[in-house]
């Protein structure tokens, strides 16, 4: 675990690499119902480095390599959605209008983006879920926090995220 924390950014980059590769591959599998013709398989492999580069650069630009997934929030999900949407548009424009490939299936752009949102977003949220709900101690001393606003929410989040806390 210490090694993972020390090399957190590298671990996150590798994780995103896997997410992008999986979403891209599954988009082709779904589009062609499991049987990818050789010309599309070749196309898939040739353009993979482009989509990977776009995705990783946009994820870095959005600050997604700085965050700890156990603390993912709605703001992080918006960053993920924005990065993926912009990346899909960039990939489409680059392939269609810069490279001039009109035969690349339009459905792949959409499927890959949707699958990446599900995979990457789901991964982040599941880690937060595990961290907050499965590792929490349900039998702590019950307390009531009076007050509204950000300060109260910060206290509640801190209590829920602190595994050593004896409060519920």
């Amino acid at each position: 675990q210490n090694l993972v924390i020390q090399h957190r950014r590298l671990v996150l980059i590798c994780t995103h690499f896997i997410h992008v590769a999986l979403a891209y591959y599954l988009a082709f599998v779904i589009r062609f119902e499991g049987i990818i013709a050789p010309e599309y398989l070749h196309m898939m492999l040739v353009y993979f480095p482009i989509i990977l580069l776009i995705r990783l650069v946009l994820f870095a630009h959005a600050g997604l390599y700085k965050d700890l997934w156990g603390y993912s929030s709605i703001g992080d999900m918006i960053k993920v959605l924005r990065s993926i949407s912009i990346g899909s548009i960039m990939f489409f424009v680059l392939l269609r209008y810069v490279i001039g490939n009109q035969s690349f299936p339009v459905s792949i752009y959409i499927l890959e983006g949707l699958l990446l949102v599900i995979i990457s977003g789901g991964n982040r949220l599941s880690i937060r879920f595990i961290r907050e709900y499965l590792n929490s101690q349900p039998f702590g001393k019950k307390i009531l926090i009076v007050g509204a606003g950000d300060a109260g929410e910060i206290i509640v989040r801190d209590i829920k995220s602190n595994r050593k806390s004896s409060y519920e």
Side-chain angles (χ1 to χ4, degrees), residues 4-132:
V4 171
I5 292 170
Q6 286 176 344
H7 302 288
R8 183 182 71 212
R9 281 202 177 128
L10 181 60
V11 169
L12 291 177
I13 291 169
C14 290
T15 303
H16 281 147
F17 175 91
I18 292 167
H19 290 173
V20 172
L22 184 61
Y24 188 67
Y25 173 72
L26 288 176
F28 275 87
V29 169
I30 292 169
R31 165 60 178 85
F32 295 107
E33 299 177 2
I35 303 169
I36 305 170
E39 63 270 14
Y40 289 108
L41 183 61
H42 179 266
M43 209 181 290
M44 180 180 79
L45 295 173
V46 166
Y47 295 126
F48 176 69
I50 295 171
I51 189 68
L52 179 66
L53 182 64
I54 290 171
R55 296 292 187 211
L56 295 181
V57 167
L58 287 174
F59 284 168
H61 185 264
L64 295 174
Y65 297 129
K66 297 177 194 170
D67 303 333
L68 292 173
W69 287 8
Y71 298 99
S72 289
S73 65
I74 298 296
D76 294 324
M77 286 306 296
I78 290 170
K79 288 179 189 177
V80 168
L81 283 168
R82 186 179 302 133
S83 297
I84 292 171
S85 299
I86 292 169
S88 294
I89 293 167
M90 287 174 65
F91 188 54
F92 175 81
V93 169
L94 185 65
L95 259 61
R96 287 278 165 161
Y97 301 109
V98 177
I99 295 174
N101 186 337
Q102 302 296 318
S103 63
F104 194 87
V106 174
S107 58
I108 297 294
Y109 302 109
I110 298 164
L111 281 171
E112 187 271 339
L114 290 173
L115 288 167
L116 189 55
V117 167
I118 293 167
I119 293 167
S120 189
N123 194 317
R124 284 174 172 266
L125 292 179
S126 64
I127 289 172
R128 179 166 179 184
F129 175 79
I130 289 167
R131 186 174 189 285
E132 282 191 15

